[in-house]
Amino acid sequence: MALLLDKGVNGARKRAGSALDVTGELCVTFLEGMRRTWDIRTWWGEFIEQCWFIARVTSVPIFLIAIPLGATISLQVGEISRQIGAQSSTGAAVVAAMVQQVAPLAAALLISGAGGSAIASDMGARNIRDELAAMEVMGINPIHRLVTPRLWAASTIGVLLCSLVILSGVAGGFYFNVIQQGVSPGAFFDGAASLLQLSDLLVTLFKAWIFGFIAGAVACYMGMNCDYGPVGVGRAVNKSTVVTSILVFAANYVISALYFVLVPPRF
C-alpha cells in the first residue's frame, strides 16, 4: 500500500514538474518572440502574409458563429423578459453579453481552432523537416523570424474578429428580438446604450488582443516542440487548441474580475 502511494506521489510530482517546465518554455517563447518586435523589417512581410491567411480562414466562420449566438441569446433572454414584463430590456442583455464576454472568447477560440491549428501544423512541419535547425545553423533565430510575425498577426486579427462578432451578434439579436418578438428598435438600442459604457468596449478589444497573443504563442510553441513524424504534428495541433482554450478562459476570468472591481458595471 505504501509502495503504491509512493508511486502515485512520485507520478504526480513528475507531472507537476513537466507542466511547470512546459509553462516556463512557453513563456520564454512568447517573451523571446516579443523581444525583437522593434525590428519590423525582418518580419513585416511574414506578418502581412499571416494576417491575410488568418483573416481568410476565419472571416466566414465568424459570421456563421456570431449570428446564431446573438439570436440564441436574444431568444432565451427575450422569452424570460416577456414572462416578467421587461421585454424591452432584451436588447441591453444581448448587446452587453456580446460586447463583454462572447465576442473576445469567440474570436479567440476561432483563431485557435482555424488559424492556430494551421500555425501549429506549419511550425511542426518545419520542425520535422529540420528547417528550424537549419535556420539556427545559418545564424537566423527562428523565433524572431517566424514566431514574432505570427504573434502580432494573431493578436491583430483577433481584435478585428472581435468587432465582427459584436456586429454580427447584435444584428442576429436585433432580427429575432425586433422582427420576431415585436420589440421596437428604439427600445432595443436604448437599453444597450444605458447599460454599456466606453470602457466595456475598450476592455473587450484588449482581451481579444491578449487572447490573440496567447493563441499564437501556444500554436508556435506546440509546433516547434512536437514529436517527429505526422503523428507528432497532429498531436501538437490538438494540444495547441486544448491548451489555448484553457488559457483563454483563465485569462478572461482574471481580466473580467479585475475590470469589474476597478470599474463597477452600470445598472
Side-chain angles (χ1 to χ4, degrees):
M1 186 65 180
L3 181 60
L4 293 176
L5 183 60
D6 290 339
K7 288 183 178 180
V9 171
N10 292 332
R13 288 178 179 176
K14 290 181 180 179
R15 287 191 293 270
S18 176
L20 290 176
D21 290 340
V22 171
T23 302
E25 292 174 359
L26 177 60
C27 293
V28 169
T29 301
F30 172 73
L31 294 176
E32 184 65 20
M34 298 296 293
R35 188 171 67 87
R36 298 284 295 184
T37 296
W38 58 270
D39 194 5
I40 299 178
R41 292 179 299 175
T42 60
W43 55 267
W44 176 255
E46 186 75 14
F47 167 76
I48 298 298
E49 182 179 349
Q50 290 299 315
C51 283
W52 170 245
F53 170 75
I54 297 175
R56 189 174 70 249
V57 299
T58 57
S59 56
V60 175
I62 203 68
F63 288 105
L64 301 179
I65 291 175
I67 294 176
L69 278 175
T72 302
I73 297 173
S74 177
L75 289 174
Q76 294 294 328
V77 177
E79 183 63 24
I80 297 174
S81 300
R82 184 184 61 81
Q83 295 177 8
I84 63 176
Q87 195 170 2
S88 60
S89 62
T90 305
V94 172
V95 177
M98 294 300 300
V99 171
Q100 294 178 347
Q101 300 298 331
V102 175
L105 289 176
L109 295 179
L110 189 58
I111 288 179
S112 173
S117 59
I119 291 174
S121 62
D122 176 55
M123 300 296 285
R126 293 174 185 266
N127 183 33
I128 64 177
R129 293 196 303 262
D130 292 328
E131 291 185 17
L132 303 180
M135 294 178 68
E136 293 179 351
V137 170
M138 293 186 294
I140 301 173
N141 191 328
I143 295 181
H144 298 163
R145 184 60 61 88
L146 300 176
V147 176
T148 300
R150 285 164 173 80
L151 291 178
W152 285 100
S155 61
T156 303
I157 299 301
V159 174
L160 298 178
L161 289 181
C162 182
S163 304
L164 290 179
V165 171
I166 294 174
L167 294 176
S168 303
V170 171
F174 178 85
Y175 174 78
F176 281 93
N177 191 224
V178 175
I179 306 300
Q180 299 294 328
Q181 297 177 336
V183 178
S184 64
F188 182 88
F189 288 108
D190 181 66
S194 62
L195 188 62
L196 292 175
Q197 46 192 336
L198 179 60
S199 58
D200 294 332
L201 178 60
L202 296 179
V203 170
T204 294
L205 296 179
F206 173 75
K207 288 197 292 186
W209 190 59
I210 296 297
F211 296 165
F213 278 124
I214 293 175
V218 172
C220 291
Y221 171 78
M222 292 300 177
M224 295 177 70
N225 295 274
C226 69
D227 297 330
Y228 279 85
V231 176
V233 177
R235 290 177 178 174
V237 172
N238 183 38
K239 288 181 180 178
S240 68
T241 304
V242 174
V243 173
T244 299
S245 301
I246 295 173
L247 294 179
V248 162
F249 278 102
N252 180 68
Y253 173 79
V254 173
I255 297 174
S256 298
L258 291 175
Y259 174 68
F260 288 143
V261 170
L262 297 175
V263 183
R266 285 183 179 179
F267 293 102

